[in-house]
Amino acid sequence: MRKFSKVLLSAALLAAVSTVGGLATGAQAQGSSKIREVGEAKLAKAIAGREAGEPVSCINFRDIRSSRIISGTAIIYEGNNGVLYVNRPASGAAFLRTGDALITVTSLSQLCNVDIVRLFDTGSRFERGSIGLGQFVPYPRAKATKAVG
């Protein structure tokens, strides 16, 4: 009899944990959606006034001046020539957080859409995960229009 009640108690605990886990997962999904929404707004602001060029598979490391993460959305690589290359990861975009460091290991002189980038939390000093890069969409500076007069 005692064995039977332990089984019932275990089943009840498992059901309760599953329910709470489901609620947490729902809340996390809602939080991810909000992060993505805010990220899209920040990305739109960053590329405002620029037009997207044809996506490219790779960019040269020597042409990259800096990079920044837009949480839950994309990585922006700024080129030496002022072109912004927006990369929306093919996988793992939800793991992107502003303030993380990007760790890229490649044997080439280029960063390509097949590369895996590891994410490093600079606060805790632990690796947080990885993402698979997507295509790089160039956004050159808008060309100044001359006034006719």
Side-chain angles (χ1 to χ4, degrees), residues 31-44 70-71 73:
S32 278
S33 176
K34 182 67 174 170
I35 289 169
R36 212 171 16 258
E37 191 177 306
V38 170
E40 290 294 340
K42 286 182 179 181
L43 179 59
I70 305 292
S71 292
T73 307

Side-chain angles (χ1 to χ4, degrees), residues 11-106:
L13 283 173
L14 182 60
V17 168
S18 297
T19 302
V20 171
L23 293 174
T25 302
Q28 288 170 341
Q30 206 170 28
S32 278
S33 176
K34 182 67 174 170
I35 289 169
R36 212 171 16 258
E37 191 177 306
V38 170
E40 290 294 340
K42 286 182 179 181
L43 179 59
K45 186 176 178 181
I47 59 175
R50 297 173 182 247
E51 284 191 39
E54 287 295 316
V56 295
S57 298
C58 300
I59 55 178
N60 290 317
F61 275 119
R62 71 174 183 274
D63 295 335
I64 301 171
R65 180 183 327 168
S66 65
S67 63
R68 67 178 174 216
I69 296 173
I70 305 292
S71 292
T73 307
I75 304 168
I76 299 176
Y77 294 94
E78 184 177 357
N80 292 327
N81 55 1
V83 174
L84 299 180
Y85 292 92
V86 175
N87 189 289
R88 291 179 179 269
S91 64
F95 294 112
L96 292 172
R97 283 195 325 208
T98 302
D100 279 355
L102 302 170
I103 302 170
T104 308
V105 178
T106 181

